[in-house]
Amino acid sequence: GDSVTQMEGPVTLSEEAFLTINCTYTATGYPSLFWYVQYPGEGLQLLLKATKADDKGSNKGFEATYRKETTSFHLEKGSVQVSDSAVYFCALKSSAGNTPLVFGKGTRLSVIA
Amino acid sequence: DAGVIQSPRHEVTEMGQEVTLRCKPISGHDYLFWYRQTMMRGLELLIYFNNNVPIDDSGMPEDRFSAKMPNASFSTLKIQPSEPRDSAVYFCASSKGQIAQQFFGPGTRLTVL
């Protein structure tokens, strides 16, 4: 079945450092890909998405490019802030029929001043 | 606009007691999802509804768990009897269409002593 694998955390970075969180997927067809973010004590919220190959999703300085050749959707940010400390979830939605989102296990990011 | 509303936000109960978690989805959304989040198992989809009808409950851990959606604006997740291993944060999410963005509630933190 469909699955998402993301790098295990926690990831600890200093403020203004470059961030990469790796995400790879297994799916048939052409899934849509998402990054959700969960701030402490809150529910998940959509950060960005891409619905077809080579699309780049971006939001709040974060970017991810849908790479079908490597089945990847890595999340990047050029300069992280303390306020980016959260858990980040990669997810996919299959193009095949009535199936729900498949989430990765999440990666905890801590940014220190 | 109000987002997804969950109640209670925190619940502490003793083993063997019945627990009922409540969710009000965003008005106009036709999909509703229940998730459970723990450190050990991450985010798990328990069950989801489309137009108030349960579509897939394969994630419900056992018969002690049940969920209902009597109308488009209300859903419950019940655990009877509760056990300490049910301690987790339970999230409700809704979306308009299954491919669309899921909006998560703030979660209910359940502690079973």
Side-chain angles (χ1 to χ4, degrees), chain B residues 5 21-34 48-54 67-77 92-95:
Chain B
I5 298 172
L21 311 182
R22 297 172 175 81
C23 174
K24 177 178 170 56
I26 293 173
S27 176
H29 284 191
D30 55 344
Y31 280 85
L32 183 139
F33 306 83
W34 282 102
Y48 73 98
F49 296 83
N50 177 216
N51 292 323
N52 314 337
V53 175
K68 295 181 179 180
M69 191 165 186
N71 57 61
S73 59
F74 184 65
S75 178
T76 60
L77 178 67
C92 176
S94 70
S95 68

Side-chain angles (χ1 to χ4, degrees), chain A residues 32 34 36 38 41-46 49 87 89 93 97-101 103-105 108, chain B residues 9 31 33 35 37 39 41-43 45 48 55-56 91 98-106:
Chain A
S32 296
F34 306 83
Y36 278 77
Q38 183 181 26
E42 299 182 9
L44 283 70
Q45 54 185 276
L46 181 66
K49 67 179 181 181
V87 181
F89 292 86
K93 172 68 180 73
N98 199 23
T99 57
L101 280 176
F103 284 92
K105 292 188 179 301
R108 181 176 298 277
Chain B
R9 292 294 310 276
Y31 280 85
F33 306 83
Y35 293 89
Q37 185 178 40
M39 290 294 290
R41 301 174 68 92
L43 190 68
L45 176 65
Y48 73 98
I55 302 300
D56 184 353
F91 289 102
Q98 198 179 138
I99 298 179
Q101 173 184 351
Q102 287 188 19
F103 291 83
F104 282 73

